[in-house]
Amino acid sequence: MIIDGRTIANSILENLSQRIRKLQKNYGIEPHLVVIRVGEDPAITSYIAQKEKMAKKIGAIVSVYNFPSNVTEDELKACLDFLQTKTNIHGTILQLPLPPHLDGKKLLLEIRAEKDVDGFRPNSQFPVPIAQAVIKCLKIPYVKVAEKTEQIFDEWLKSKTVIVIGKGKTGGQPVIDALQKKGIHPMIIDTRTEHPEVILKQADIIISAVGKEHVITKNILKKDVILIGIGIHMTDEGKFAGDYNETEIKDIASWYTPVPGGVGPVNVACLMENLVIATENAVT
């Protein structure tokens, strides 16, 4: 069965719309997110467009500052320092990944903790949206089980063999960290893992964060596995696709997220939730 990310996202956004109307009524404030973008990656273009669309839907503002891929670290730092002084900006994002000549860890520290809505600063007060999105997607198949049992969500997850493919800092690693905070220790597959197909055959839940075609094929899946796809790539036809072919796996997986319409909309909705929290914190 499909895990419909758009339905999950719409539920989050409905709640956020109500909270934003309250902020507007009581304080005359609209949540304002600034995105600093470097380069012209089409996947990032699509992601930012989703942010702008969702923000408009709930009554928030998104401003995008575009820089060429050869921007210097000092130029980005100056921009970040300037933005942090603006009280009408409630969230600031340095869109990752950055070109290799830029020190992302260093630049992220230029964002004030209270505006770090992407959750990438060390010990951030905000959860990383992609990790929150994966957890929310996993709660859909869990609810079907919980209707028949007394298991709570974390116990249900602990009872499963969970595998994460990829440990990039914007995808797999935040999910790994979030699971570990719940006391769940997933098996991790990366480029150095030997015989990954043998390991994947054991999985009850696979979270794939690679962004390449055919990362997961039907012959390496256990029947009724749950597939959560984070990674996306662009096909030769100019369309976005995930780490597995949905037509190929749909009769093997018990649940799976599609691309588009899976984890992506939930990820953006979770970011908007962090933005609204940051705005509420700013006025209380």
Side-chain angles (χ1 to χ4, degrees):
M1 295 181 67
I2 292 176
I3 298 173
D4 187 348
R6 292 190 177 98
T7 299
I8 301 169
N10 285 337
S11 176
I12 297 168
L13 297 177
E14 185 177 343
N15 171 264
L16 296 181
S17 295
Q18 294 173 4
R19 290 160 65 179
I20 289 175
R21 284 196 292 270
K22 184 176 179 181
L23 285 166
Q24 292 169 334
K25 179 180 178 181
N26 294 343
Y27 303 99
I29 289 176
E30 295 173 313
H32 186 179
L33 173 69
V34 167
V35 180
I36 298 174
R37 183 255 184 90
V38 179
E40 298 294 333
D41 187 314
I44 290 178
T45 299
S46 175
Y47 185 37
I48 291 175
Q50 288 183 56
K51 293 175 184 176
E52 293 173 316
K53 183 178 178 180
M54 239 177 236
K56 185 177 180 180
K57 187 173 182 178
I58 62 176
I61 301 168
V62 173
S63 300
V64 182
Y65 286 65
N66 292 295
F67 288 90
S69 56
N70 62 352
V71 65
T72 67
E73 212 165 273
D74 286 343
E75 287 172 322
L76 284 181
K77 182 179 181 301
C79 179
L80 285 165
D81 289 345
F82 168 76
L83 293 172
Q84 301 319 293
T85 66
K86 300 297 181 180
T87 57
N88 66 330
I89 294 173
H90 308 102
T92 305
I93 289 177
L94 179 60
Q95 189 69 60
L96 302 177
L98 294 172
H101 71 281
L102 298 172
D103 187 341
K105 288 184 178 180
K106 180 181 175 183
L107 288 166
L108 285 170
L109 293 176
E110 299 298 322
I111 299 173
R112 289 185 181 177
E114 66 272 18
K115 298 185 181 186
D116 175 39
V117 292
D118 242 354
F120 284 141
R121 282 176 55 100
N123 302 311
S124 178
Q125 67 192 65
F126 296 99
V128 179
I130 190 64
Q132 286 294 98
V134 167
I135 296 298
K136 289 180 186 293
C137 286
L138 283 171
K139 285 185 176 179
I140 300 301
Y142 159 72
V143 166
K144 296 296 182 182
V145 175
E147 289 175 354
K148 303 174 185 177
T149 73
E150 296 297 321
Q151 271 188 312
I152 62 172
F153 179 63
D154 287 4
E155 289 178 352
W156 177 76
L157 275 180
K158 288 176 184 177
S159 72
K160 304 297 181 183
T161 299
V162 182
I163 294 178
V164 178
I165 309 176
K167 53 184 181 181
K169 58 186 176 182
T170 62
Q173 192 59 54
V175 174
I176 293 165
D177 293 342
L179 290 171
Q180 289 177 341
K181 285 180 181 178
K182 289 179 169 290
I184 298 146
H185 299 282
M187 300 172 71
I188 302 166
I189 292 177
D190 61 20
T191 54
R192 294 174 294 180
T193 303
E194 296 183 359
H195 307 297
E197 68 282 356
V198 176
I199 300 171
L200 288 166
K201 271 284 188 182
Q202 308 170 41
D204 300 308
I205 298 171
I206 298 174
I207 302 162
S208 186
V210 180
K212 294 181 181 179
E213 64 178 347
H214 306 314
V215 173
I216 296 172
T217 53
K218 64 179 182 180
N219 60 301
I220 60 174
L221 296 177
K222 182 169 75 173
K223 180 64 175 173
D224 294 331
V225 67
I226 297 169
L227 292 179
I228 306 293
I230 297 175
I232 62 170
H233 65 277
M234 184 171 284
T235 67
D236 293 338
E237 293 76 31
K239 296 181 179 180
F240 288 111
D243 288 350
Y244 44 82
N245 183 309
E246 294 163 34
T247 302
E248 182 181 298
I249 58 85
K250 66 183 179 67
D251 294 326
I252 299 173
S254 58
W255 294 87
Y256 68 92
T257 58
V259 173
V263 175
V266 189
N267 181 20
V268 180
C270 289
L271 171 66
M272 292 299 142
E273 188 169 36
N274 283 352
L275 175 65
V276 171
I277 293 170
T279 309
E280 291 169 340
N281 290 344
V283 298
T284 56

